[in-house]
Every structure is written in structure tokens, then in C-alpha cells.
């Protein structure tokens, strides 16, 4: 079992509560939901690495057909409790090409940070899109700030094992990969996808994992981020160009 899979299996029962029930967590959820919902097209939607199905009910309320895949059965157990009509499939993202269906929109929220071969996954997704379909990828930026913050996160993971105050913080895996805008554009271009937009999101990954339950720090982080308006994560939206008939 991989380190990433074990991490999510272990945290599945309390994942939503720990990640998205705090002041910062709720704010992050709102920002990510808006980024996804505002860019959806069509009716048939696929989420890669759907985890606990956080987006399933939100998308179903829009009268769309939702399918989510994930390689953690424990996370999918939590997802199935949220919706009786959404379809959840136990599948590693590297096998996504095995899905026998075309989609209008395929999206993944910060999951690309764990993909071993993102180039192939994006190409596979392109082949699963209908003409004019979209792929939405939320990713963590590669810049000096995120690099320093993720190193600090590893320090907190060390103390978490030794201090009571950190016991309830989600631990992450320490294997996250970050991307520049240039690298994301290249991924899309290699899959013959046309870039629609690349935007910044407020998403203090380090902060909501490690300070999410400390209200005064959470409020200060949100306030300062709104003043600085510097995105820690990005949202790439790309479209499958309609094939011209010869």
C-alpha cells in the first residue's frame, strides 16, 4: 500500500470534519466549489480522486450526472453516505482510460500533486472528453512561499506526534508536487487541449491543515490573504477542441 493511500484510508472517517469544518476549511471549500461550479459545462461530470465525495451533492443539485473515482475504498465509503444517486468507482487515476464513457467535464481538486504520470492522465482525460468538453485542474503553485510553507508543514508533522495540541491536525503525506503556470499549460497543450483560463485561488493549504482549529489565527490568515490577494493554488480550465471533419 502506498504512503498516500494509507494516509487517506486512515483519515477517511474524520477527513471532512478535520479539513473543512474550521473557519479556514469552510472558506477553502467555498473558494474551491466556486472554481469548479463556475467552469462546469454539459451534463456528464467526472471527478478524479473524489475522496469523500465533497462535490457530488453540489453538482447533483445542478441536475447533472456525477461520477467520482478514487483509489481509497475507505474514502469512497464516506462518499456513498452523502448521495444515493451519484456513482462512485474504486479506481486509480492511472486507469481512468478504462472508463467506457464520454464526459462533458472532468475535474480534479488538488489531486494532481500526487499523480505519478500527470502527462498521461491528462491525455487520457482528453480522450474521454466530448468535443467542446472541459478539464478543470486545481493545483498548488510552485513558488518560494509554498516551498517554505510545506517545509514548515513537515516540521509540524514532527511535533504532531509529540504534542497534544497537534493531535487533531490532518497530517498530509509530505509527497505533494507543485506546478508553475508554464508547466500546467504544457500539460494541457500536450493533450491537445485549448487553455480557457488559469486563475489564482485563495487556498492556504499549510494554514488550514495546521491552524484550522485556532480561530484567531484563522481569521488573521484570511484577512491578510484578502489584502495581499496572492493565490497559493491555481485553477486551470482547458477545452477539447472540436475535431474538424475532413
Amino acid at each position: 500500500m502506498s504512503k498516500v493511500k494509507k494516509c487517506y484510508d486512515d483519515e477517511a472517517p474524520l477527513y471532512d470534519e478535520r479539513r473543512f469544518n474550521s473557519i479556514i476549511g469552510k472558506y477553502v471549500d467555498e473558494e474551491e466549489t466556486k472554481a469548479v461550479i463556475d467552469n462546469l459545462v454539459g451534463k456528464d461530470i467526472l471527478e478524479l480522486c473524489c475522496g469523500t465525495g465533497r462535490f457530488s451533492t453540489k453538482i447533483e443539485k445542478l441536475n447533472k450526472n456525477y461520477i467520482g473515482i478514487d483509489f481509497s475504498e475507505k474514502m469512497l465509503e464516506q462518499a456513498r453516505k452523502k448521495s444515493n444517486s451519484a456513482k462512485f468507482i474504486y479506481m486509480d487515476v492511472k486507469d481512468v482510460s478504462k472508463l467506457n464513457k464520454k464526459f462533458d467535464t472532468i475535474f480534479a481538486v488538488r489531486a494532481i500533486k500526487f499523480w505519478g504520470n500527470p502527462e498521461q492522465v491528462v491525455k487520457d482525460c482528453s480522450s474521454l472528453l466530448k468535443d467542446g468538453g472541459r478539464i478543470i485542474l486545481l493545483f498548488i503553485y510552485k513558488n518560494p512561499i509554498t516551498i517554505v510553507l510545506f517545509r514548515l508543514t513537515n516540521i509540524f508533522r514532527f511535533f504532531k506526534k509529540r504534542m497534544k495540541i497537534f493531535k487533531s491536525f490532518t497530517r498530509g503525506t509530505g509527497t505533494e508536487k507543485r506546478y508553475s503556470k508554464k508547466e500546467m499549460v504544457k500539460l494541457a497543450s500536450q493533450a491537445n487541449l485549448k487553455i480557457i483560463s488559469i486563475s489564482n485561488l485563495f487556498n492556504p493549504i499549510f494554514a488550514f491543515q495546521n491552524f484550522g482549529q485556532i480561530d484567531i489565527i484563522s481569521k488573521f490568515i484570511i484577512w491578510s490573504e484578502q489584502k495581499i490577494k496572492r493565490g497559493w493554488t491555481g485553477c486551470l480550465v482547458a477545452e477539447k477542441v472540436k475535431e474538424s471533419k475532413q
Side-chain angles (χ1 to χ4, degrees), residues 83-200:
S83 173
N84 293 323
S85 55
K87 185 176 182 180
F88 296 102
I89 301 173
Y90 178 59
M91 175 183 284
D92 194 305
V93 69
K94 64 183 177 63
D95 299 318
V96 68
S97 62
K98 296 179 181 179
L99 290 175
N100 187 26
K101 184 176 176 62
K102 292 286 187 177
F103 298 92
D104 295 296
T105 302
I106 298 175
F107 74 96
V109 177
R110 291 181 282 106
I112 191 173
K113 62 186 178 182
F114 294 129
W115 296 352
N117 189 349
E119 295 83 5
Q120 188 59 51
V121 173
V122 175
K123 287 179 181 178
D124 290 342
C125 288
S126 179
S127 68
L128 292 175
L129 284 174
K130 301 175 185 178
D131 286 344
R134 286 185 176 181
I135 184 169
I136 306 168
L137 296 175
L138 274 62
F139 62 98
I140 302 172
Y141 275 119
K142 180 194 291 183
N143 59 43
I145 293 178
T146 57
I147 291 173
V148 170
L149 289 176
F150 272 86
R151 286 177 178 171
L152 287 174
T153 299
N154 287 330
I155 295 174
F156 274 90
R157 291 191 185 107
F158 173 81
F159 283 107
K160 176 186 172 181
K161 298 177 181 178
R162 295 159 176 81
M163 296 176 64
K164 186 176 181 180
I165 188 174
F166 296 114
K167 292 297 182 183
S168 63
F169 295 168
T170 53
R171 65 184 181 184
T173 67
T175 60
E176 296 88 348
K177 183 177 180 181
R178 296 166 292 279
Y179 293 85
S180 65
K181 284 187 178 181
K182 183 177 180 180
E183 288 171 327
M184 293 301 296
V185 168
K186 183 178 179 180
L187 280 176
S189 299
Q190 289 175 336
N192 296 318
L193 296 168
K194 176 185 176 183
I195 303 297
I196 300 298
S197 64
I198 301 183
S199 56
N200 292 342

Side-chain angles (χ1 to χ4, degrees), residues 20-131:
F20 304 109
N21 200 37
S22 65
I23 292 175
I24 291 183
K26 290 175 181 177
Y27 196 92
V28 167
D29 183 50
E30 291 174 2
E31 289 284 297
E32 292 180 336
T33 297
K34 187 177 188 303
V36 172
I37 298 299
D38 287 356
N39 288 294
L40 292 177
V41 295
K43 192 173 181 67
D44 296 316
I45 313 298
L46 171 67
E47 181 179 8
L48 309 176
C49 311
C50 66
T52 60
R54 178 164 57 108
F55 290 89
S56 60
T57 54
K58 299 173 183 178
I59 290 175
E60 286 183 308
K61 287 179 181 178
L62 300 175
N63 195 31
K64 297 182 184 294
N65 303 318
Y66 172 94
I67 294 177
I69 68 168
D70 201 276
F71 74 162
S72 169
E73 186 58 52
K74 296 294 185 182
M75 296 289 274
L76 292 178
E77 287 177 7
Q78 301 302 314
R80 295 185 181 106
K81 295 177 182 179
K82 292 184 172 71
S83 173
N84 293 323
S85 55
K87 185 176 182 180
F88 296 102
I89 301 173
Y90 178 59
M91 175 183 284
D92 194 305
V93 69
K94 64 183 177 63
D95 299 318
V96 68
S97 62
K98 296 179 181 179
L99 290 175
N100 187 26
K101 184 176 176 62
K102 292 286 187 177
F103 298 92
D104 295 296
T105 302
I106 298 175
F107 74 96
V109 177
R110 291 181 282 106
I112 191 173
K113 62 186 178 182
F114 294 129
W115 296 352
N117 189 349
E119 295 83 5
Q120 188 59 51
V121 173
V122 175
K123 287 179 181 178
D124 290 342
C125 288
S126 179
S127 68
L128 292 175
L129 284 174
K130 301 175 185 178
D131 286 344

